[in-house]
Amino acid sequence: MAVKKHQLVRQNQEEVNLTTLVEYIQPIVDKPVFLPPPNELIQSCENVVQCLSRLTGTEQELWKCLRSIEKFLVFVISNVDCKLRNEIITTIIDKFYSYISDPNSNACPATSVVLIVMDAPDPRASLSTARWVIQQSKKSQSDEGLRSALSCLYRWLSESYTLPYLSNWILCFIKVLEENEMFDILIEESVKNIGNLFSVMISPATRKQPVADVILHLLISLRESPEAFDRISKHIGETLESLAADSRQWSRQLLGSLVDILTSMINYNMQSLKGVQLYMFRDKYSYVIKHLERHMVTIDSTVILDPIWKSRNTGGQPAKVDTVTSPKVGLQNLGNTCYINSVMQALFLIHQFSNYTVLKMFEKPYWAKMSALFVTMMHTVAPCIKPTTFVSVAKPDFFVPKQQHDCFEFLGYLFELLKSYENSTITDADFAYNTPVVLNSSRTNVTEGKSGHGKSNEPKVSEKPCTSSQTPESSNSAGPFGLKRHSDADINVTSKRRRFNDSFINNVFAGVFLTRITCIHCGSSSRSRDVCRDLQLAFPEKSGGNQYTIQGLIDFYFSNEILTGENQYQCHDCNILRDAEKCVIIESTPKILIIILKTFKYDTKLRVQTKLMHSVMYNTSVTLPTLRSQTDKNTYNLFAAVIHVGTTMNAGHYYTLGKDNNDWYIFDDSRVKATDETGINRLDRSHTPYMLFYRRTDVVEGSIAAFATLPKQMQQTVMSCNKAHLELRKTTKNRP
């Protein structure tokens, strides 16, 4: 074996004789008595890849050799232990990628036969291996290797050596590039090669289903590219005629898919053209249009809803995939319902929340109506939608119709309504944010050496903490946020049977606040925990036109407080009211932090809630005071703000500033327009942020659920909405 190895690979050898390669592997395939030692076996597999990359010969000559190599590779990985198998596969793929990613390499398409090592042990291994390859390539901090690899794979696919596992590998490679948002690479290399790839579909001899799957994926993803359409246009007529003459069932299905996609490409290219430009386009591609008119387009085709590769030329930043024609959707005002629209736009921007609602909760009471709203916002072709059904069931009964109401109060009502219909335990697999949080199950020495629990005589907060969690296990004593409080003893009992993340709402929005009150006279202390879904920040009483900051208001909120006078603390050790010091810290931070600014103050003379017009700098990043164990989860970035316009709480207007995929927008009912990150600090004096939404920095924003991943019920909701919108647009357009 060692002798043949040296005969097989010679230094500076440009070509490999087929006979030598077959002689090298034939003894192992024909008489598998024993395998060489592991190191020699790994080296032998690496040599096989090297030889394949240099092969020359006709297709007939190569085919016999490839069959022998297939048997050899399958035999090797099927007869070694798991550890050695992984080493062999890693070596083969690493060597394989080194050839296809080399811009100066002209590797033979027969090299792709080595990809069988992934299909043999587990067909799902291709996707994992593609992820590994791209991660290794990213370490070089250069995209040239990935570009060359994708170009080489496309070249092989357009030639005659189209082995099934090559097509599978290309689809996996593309999918992982999509996952890593490398859309510029995908667009540039795919557009360059789409003409040659599409021409493969002309002849029944080269038109194979695995190849067609790759080409269809490229056409769908590039359907808004005029250059891609131009490159395939000269082959369209011949391809459609060839498919129409093919009686095979899958060819008929392929013909239908192609007609739908190509029609979508034509329509997109024409929709932005007018006058002479439209005439010139129709004239240039008249033969394509005539061929398409001979075939029927699927009425409810979902092609227009599939993801599109879009490059934004953002100075080297990766382009983002857009799944709808109108990426940002407005919500119609149904009569002073801006307080609902503004909140729903902010919640929708929490993609994990909106995805979970659409994918998991679409059959739950009340959740179902929100699912229908969110999925329509995700994939509608309309610029705005009418949320009539959702508003009819989500609006609190005690809210007077067609009057202005508090958006914070609505959010609190909505959370409690949804929470009451969850009826299921949330698991890590259900929600990407999920990190289990258990209320402290070990009994805390609340008196720091002395027994007994203290009870605070603090007054409740005047505003209702609408989004704060109140549980049946709470005691009757009011907490520092107007909440009912868990004593440590209560937590010790209930935490054994109840996890904090049993509630999806709490899992996303709630944090655990730890309050300690210490008697200044005797030093004894008591602790309590509160589950809170919002942080209500008041403005400190101080004179002078100073500018406040959100971070400053947070620091003020969590600063130590001396309880004295009417707020003295009832010390159980002293058994009388005593001055005490109160300290609040966060024991478990929420994934999404909702901050409420108390910008309204009751005017005793006018007997109305007047609005504070303080100058505030709205920090785009804030930090919360936490326990030492939570310091890596205490930094947040701003992604949405609900703005109130007006001078009193009972009148005015709400709209939302929101960030999606690094771009900022103003969502003002049915109107949506772009803005920038500094917009929140450039508002008019009467336009004051009321609710601020921050995302924890370790939480991934994610993207909206792709149409193909939606439950069929949700897909039908989208298609029905889009069909109604297109019919309405057509009717309106045809009116005299």
Side-chain angles (χ1 to χ4, degrees):
M1 192 72 182
V3 174
K4 288 190 176 182
K5 177 180 65 176
H6 293 298
Q7 292 175 344
L8 178 65
V9 182
R10 299 188 180 94
Q11 192 173 10
N12 300 324
Q13 182 178 341
E14 295 300 327
E15 295 182 0
V16 176
N17 185 275
L18 282 174
T19 305
T20 305
L21 181 56
V22 173
E23 289 177 355
Y24 174 70
I25 63 174
Q26 204 66 42
I28 296 179
V29 176
D30 294 340
K31 299 179 180 180
V33 179
F34 66 92
L35 286 173
N39 291 339
E40 185 177 340
L41 188 60
I42 293 173
Q43 183 63 50
S44 299
C45 290
E46 187 174 359
N47 290 338
V48 167
V49 183
Q50 184 176 350
C51 293
L52 284 168
S53 68
R54 300 174 179 177
L55 281 179
T56 59
T58 65
E59 183 177 357
Q60 291 75 19
E61 291 173 334
L62 290 175
W63 184 244
K64 182 180 178 181
C65 173
L66 296 184
R67 293 297 298 269
S68 299
I69 293 173
E70 279 185 345
K71 293 180 180 179
F72 167 72
L73 293 173
V74 172
F75 173 77
V76 168
I77 64 173
S78 301
N79 289 275
V80 295
D81 59 51
C82 184
K83 182 179 179 181
L84 182 56
R85 181 188 305 121
N86 290 336
E87 290 183 28
I88 291 173
I89 292 176
T90 301
T91 300
I92 290 175
I93 298 303
D94 190 49
K95 192 71 174 177
F96 171 79
Y97 184 73
S98 71
Y99 286 118
I100 67 172
S101 61
D102 183 0
N104 300 317
S105 171
N106 191 28
C108 175
T111 314
S112 64
V113 74
V114 303
L115 296 173
I116 198 173
V117 299
M118 289 178 293
D119 280 0
D122 184 356
R124 298 169 298 179
S126 295
L127 192 59
S128 300
T129 309
R131 289 192 178 103
W132 176 81
V133 166
I134 290 179
Q135 287 302 317
Q136 294 299 113
S137 178
K138 288 172 70 176
K139 292 179 181 179
S140 65
Q141 299 182 344
S142 173
D143 294 336
E144 291 309 310
L146 292 173
R147 293 178 187 276
S148 299
L150 190 60
S151 179
C152 179
L153 293 172
Y154 284 156
R155 175 174 63 85
W156 288 356
L157 196 66
S158 63
E159 297 179 4
S160 57
Y161 312 105
T162 51
L163 301 173
Y165 23 83
L166 173 61
S167 302
N168 179 48
W169 168 260
I170 293 176
L171 282 174
C172 291
F173 197 74
I174 290 172
K175 183 174 181 180
V176 178
L177 287 173
E178 290 173 339
E179 289 177 357
N180 287 270
E181 298 183 335
M182 296 180 174
F183 298 108
D184 287 326
I185 295 175
L186 284 166
I187 292 172
E188 290 172 17
E189 297 306 321
S190 300
V191 169
K192 288 178 185 177
N193 292 275
I194 191 66
N196 290 334
L197 288 170
F198 193 82
S199 65
V200 173
M201 305 248 282
I202 297 175
S203 171
T206 58
R207 185 170 59 232
K208 300 171 183 176
Q209 189 162 2
V211 182
D213 290 339
V214 176
I215 295 171
L216 289 179
H217 186 87
L218 297 183
L219 291 176
I220 290 173
S221 303
L222 294 170
R223 66 181 182 272
E224 292 188 1
S225 169
E227 186 178 357
F229 178 75
D230 186 67
R231 285 174 181 258
I232 66 172
S233 60
K234 59 184 178 181
H235 305 299
I236 290 176
E238 196 175 354
T239 301
L240 295 181
E241 288 179 356
S242 176
L243 282 169
D246 194 335
S247 59
R248 289 178 295 177
Q249 179 63 30
W250 85 269
S251 295
R252 298 288 182 180
Q253 294 173 351
L254 178 59
L255 176 62
S257 299
L258 266 181
V259 169
D260 291 342
I261 297 169
L262 295 172
T263 301
S264 175
M265 296 180 82
I266 285 276
N267 291 338
Y268 178 82
N269 278 273
M270 290 195 302
Q271 71 180 19
S272 60
L273 301 177
K274 294 181 180 179
V276 177
Q277 289 182 328
L278 180 60
Y279 174 80
M280 292 176 64
F281 179 89
R282 286 182 173 275
D283 182 62
K284 180 179 181 180
Y285 299 111
S286 59
Y287 63 97
V288 177
I289 296 173
K290 288 179 180 178
H291 275 289
L292 287 173
E293 287 176 347
R294 297 172 186 172
H295 305 279
M296 295 183 63
V297 179
T298 306
I299 296 177
D300 290 325
S301 174
T302 60
V303 169
I304 61 171
L305 303 173
D306 288 333
I308 300 170
W309 296 338
K310 285 194 174 182
S311 174
R312 296 182 178 177
N313 298 319
T314 53
Q317 295 297 321
K320 306 294 181 183
V321 68
D322 211 341
T323 57
V324 292
T325 304
S326 178
K328 299 296 168 283
V329 180
L331 298 175
Q332 290 187 25
N333 193 316
L334 305 179
N336 288 338
T337 58
C338 59
Y339 67 93
I340 295 179
N341 292 347
S342 57
V343 168
M344 298 314 297
Q345 289 285 16
L347 292 179
F348 178 74
L349 293 175
I350 308 170
H351 290 157
Q352 286 88 344
F353 177 76
S354 50
N355 285 348
Y356 182 86
T357 303
V358 166
L359 298 174
K360 299 287 186 179
M361 307 297 281
F362 61 94
E363 292 181 326
K364 299 280 186 182
Y366 294 99
W367 286 88
K369 303 303 180 184
M370 188 165 68
S371 298
L373 176 65
F374 280 165
V375 79
T376 307
M377 292 171 70
M378 288 178 180
H379 297 290
T380 183
V381 295
C384 68
I385 57 177
K386 198 172 183 179
T388 308
T389 305
F390 175 76
V391 171
S392 65
V393 300
K395 183 179 67 65
D397 293 336
F398 52 87
F399 276 24
V400 179
K402 297 186 179 181
Q403 286 192 12
Q404 179 69 66
H405 293 286
D406 188 350
C407 65
F408 175 41
E409 191 173 358
F410 165 73
L411 178 61
Y413 173 85
L414 178 65
F415 276 169
E416 290 302 322
L417 182 67
L418 297 174
K419 188 169 176 290
S420 64
Y421 284 95
E422 287 186 48
N423 298 327
S424 62
T425 300
I426 308 305
T427 65
D428 286 347
D430 290 331
F431 186 55
Y433 281 170
N434 193 21
T435 51
V437 179
V438 184
L439 297 183
N440 194 354
S441 59
S442 59
R443 188 179 181 88
T444 307
N445 185 0
V446 294
T447 62
E448 296 182 353
K450 299 184 180 182
S451 61
H453 289 276
K455 181 179 180 181
S456 172
N457 291 333
E458 311 154 39
K460 291 186 178 181
V461 180
S462 57
E463 289 83 6
K464 292 182 180 180
C466 300
T467 63
S468 300
S469 173
Q470 300 185 17
T471 59
E473 294 87 350
S474 300
S475 66
N476 292 326
S477 59
F481 315 105
L483 290 174
K484 295 182 179 180
R485 171 182 296 160
H486 293 285
S487 70
D488 286 345
D490 293 333
I491 293 171
N492 186 43
V493 174
T494 60
S495 63
K496 293 181 180 179
R497 60 184 172 84
R498 176 170 173 164
R499 279 180 172 264
F500 179 57
N501 66 332
D502 279 351
S503 164
F504 173 72
I505 297 294
N506 280 352
N507 184 271
V508 183
F509 299 99
V512 179
F513 290 62
L514 175 64
T515 304
R516 174 187 289 178
I517 302 178
T518 304
C519 176
I520 295 177
H521 180 76
C522 70
S524 65
S525 64
S526 65
R527 297 180 188 177
S528 62
R529 287 172 175 81
D530 301 283
V531 179
C532 298
R533 291 198 295 266
D534 58 75
L535 187 59
Q536 301 182 35
L537 302 182
F539 292 89
E541 295 293 337
K542 63 179 182 180
S543 58
N546 295 325
Q547 185 181 53
Y548 298 94
T549 66
I550 299 301
Q551 185 63 61
L553 294 178
I554 291 174
D555 295 340
F556 173 73
Y557 181 92
F558 286 100
S559 61
N560 291 359
E561 179 184 358
I562 301 298
L563 304 179
T564 187
E566 294 182 357
N567 287 331
Q568 276 190 318
Y569 164 67
Q570 178 68 41
C571 178
H572 280 198
D573 283 15
C574 299
N575 203 27
I576 58 173
L577 292 173
R578 292 286 194 185
D579 288 351
E581 183 179 38
K582 183 182 74 173
C583 172
V584 181
I585 197 167
I586 299 180
E587 187 175 63
S588 177
T589 58
K591 282 80 174 178
I592 300 297
L593 172 66
I594 301 177
I595 291 179
I596 310 302
L597 295 179
K598 296 184 178 181
T599 54
F600 298 104
K601 184 177 181 181
Y602 186 73
D603 190 318
T604 54
K605 293 182 179 180
L606 299 176
R607 296 183 180 181
V608 295
Q609 291 276 4
T610 59
K611 187 175 180 179
L612 300 176
M613 300 291 189
H614 291 315
S615 176
V616 181
M617 197 275 281
Y618 300 94
N619 304 93
T620 55
S621 179
V622 296
T623 303
L624 298 180
T626 61
L627 297 177
R628 186 174 300 176
S629 61
Q630 290 280 302
T631 52
D632 60 335
K633 297 180 180 179
N634 65 349
T635 306
Y636 292 79
N637 291 329
L638 181 70
F639 70 91
V642 175
I643 314 298
H644 178 266
V645 184
T647 56
T648 69
M649 188 171 64
N650 299 323
H653 178 61
Y654 291 108
Y655 66 90
T656 298
L657 287 177
K659 177 183 178 183
D660 189 20
N661 289 328
N662 296 320
D663 295 324
W664 283 84
Y665 300 88
I666 298 175
F667 299 92
D668 189 355
D669 287 335
S670 59
R671 298 179 297 277
V672 181
K673 62 180 181 180
T675 184
D676 56 52
E677 189 176 30
T678 63
I680 192 170
N681 285 306
R682 293 187 284 104
L683 298 171
D684 295 338
R685 192 180 181 189
S686 61
H687 294 233
T688 55
Y690 177 41
M691 299 172 61
L692 302 173
F693 293 78
Y694 287 83
R695 180 182 288 107
R696 209 169 64 192
T697 53
D698 66 314
V699 174
V700 180
E701 177 185 358
S703 56
I704 62 173
F707 183 83
T709 66
L710 299 175
K712 289 192 175 181
Q713 181 177 330
M714 292 288 93
Q715 291 182 356
Q716 287 296 328
T717 298
V718 173
M719 288 190 289
S720 297
C721 177
N722 286 339
K723 184 178 180 180
H725 170 73
L726 294 174
E727 288 178 352
L728 178 62
R729 188 171 65 178
K730 184 177 179 180
T731 302
T732 305
K733 186 177 180 180
N734 292 334
R735 285 177 182 172

